[in-house]
Amino acid sequence: MRRFGFALAASVALSAAIMAPSGASAAPVATISAGGAGAVHRVQYWDQRPYDGGWERRQQWREWRRERDEARIAEAARREAWRIEQEREQGRAWRHQSGYGPRYDRWW
């Protein structure tokens, strides 16, 4: 425990020595530009158009989502219609195989 205490005290003292401010200032050093203040170019970092909060992009995404939903619903309707038609065809085949349905070769 004593050894740990000494190690802790040494690390605290070392970090305090490293973090202590030196005689030099932390302020940025002034640089001398070749052309003075007129040589500095102003840069515009944003677009000239007014910011709409991404409204057009949201509208586009909504339109794409609506189209995707409509296509998904149409595909589900096609699958359901195909399934119903298959069931009807199986029913017709079963009735024909089992002897039910119209009899054209009998007289009664």
Side-chain angles (χ1 to χ4, degrees), residues 1-10:
M1 190 67 179
R2 227 156 128 193
R3 195 178 304 164
F4 176 73
F6 284 128
L8 183 64

Side-chain angles (χ1 to χ4, degrees), residues 46-103:
W46 57 87
D47 197 4
Q48 291 287 344
R49 294 174 295 175
Y51 179 69
D52 65 346
W55 176 252
E56 293 176 358
R57 192 64 172 168
R58 287 197 304 265
Q59 290 294 98
Q60 190 176 24
W61 277 109
R62 285 179 187 151
E63 181 66 24
W64 288 340
R65 186 182 312 123
R66 188 185 61 78
E67 290 173 1
R68 190 173 58 241
D69 290 346
E70 287 178 359
R72 191 169 50 220
I73 290 169
E75 178 62 26
R78 280 193 294 272
R79 282 195 309 262
E80 183 69 13
W82 182 82
R83 187 187 61 80
I84 290 171
E85 186 58 36
Q86 292 297 314
E87 287 179 358
R88 287 179 179 167
E89 184 62 34
Q90 289 171 1
R92 285 188 207 106
W94 181 83
R95 284 191 301 273
H96 180 72
Q97 183 183 14
S98 300
Y100 293 103
R103 304 266 189 228

